[in-house]
Amino acid sequence: PAVVGSVLAFGVMGFIGIRLEISAALITSIAIGIGTDFSIHYLGRLREFMPTSSSIDEALVKVSRSNGKAIVYDTASNVLGFAVLLLSGFLQIRTFGSLVSLTMIVMAAGTLMLIPALVAAIQPAYLYRQREKAEPAVTPDSVPAPMPALSPE
């Protein structure tokens, strides 16, 4: 999703004649951050649902119903926040606001459509491994004995 969003944002910029400036170049870092965040949350939740699901399709539906909603709400609130920049009198700020909004929508759509399709087609092995239970960091045997109190001399 991050690559698709970045390519789309720069494609739109080229198509409508926006020059590559600092405000427009910031889109890439935002796109990669958003796309990575959405993907990590989606895949992390998918990994949690895999052991309790009868198939990968069932797990994908569960994730889309839980994290999918969160991604849509997150996207909507952020797009509305960046859409405020469209009211600016400064062209670069308006451009930045519109491109970030577009990129966020593409990232969300990519996460909700592209990742499930790729996971269903590729079926990565790490999704099928059950999480091994983490061993406690401290066990009763590993705790050192308390030091004797110092006596005043």
Side-chain angles (χ1 to χ4, degrees):
V3 173
V4 172
S6 297
V7 168
L8 181 69
F10 284 110
V12 168
M13 287 171 48
F15 183 72
I16 61 177
I18 297 172
R19 294 182 47 203
L20 185 59
E21 298 172 353
I22 294 295
S23 62
L26 291 173
I27 302 293
T28 303
S29 62
I30 291 171
I32 290 171
I34 294 165
T36 303
D37 185 53
F38 286 166
S39 299
I40 287 171
H41 287 295
Y42 193 93
L43 291 172
R45 187 63 128 183
L46 180 61
R47 189 167 181 201
E48 288 177 18
F49 281 136
M50 282 301 293
T52 61
S53 300
S54 62
S55 68
I56 193 155
D57 293 333
E58 180 184 340
L60 287 169
V61 168
K62 287 180 183 178
V63 173
S64 294
R65 287 184 179 156
S66 63
N67 279 41
K69 284 183 189 177
I71 289 171
V72 169
Y73 293 147
D74 183 26
T75 301
S77 66
N78 283 311
V79 165
L80 287 174
F82 279 106
V84 170
L85 298 176
L86 298 173
L87 302 175
S88 173
F90 192 49
L91 178 62
Q92 284 82 5
I93 298 295
R94 284 196 315 255
T95 300
F96 180 75
S98 62
L99 289 174
V100 169
S101 296
L102 171 69
T103 304
M104 291 190 79
I105 292 168
V106 170
M107 291 297 166
T111 299
L112 296 174
M113 291 187 284
L114 187 61
I115 288 183
L118 288 172
V119 166
I122 297 171
Q123 298 187 1
Y126 80 93
L127 291 175
Y128 293 95
R129 282 186 247 139
Q130 293 222 354
R131 289 187 180 183
E132 295 179 16
K133 294 187 179 189
E135 297 200 22
V138 178
T139 61
D141 298 332
S142 68
V143 176
M147 294 185 65
L150 296 173
S151 60
E153 294 180 341

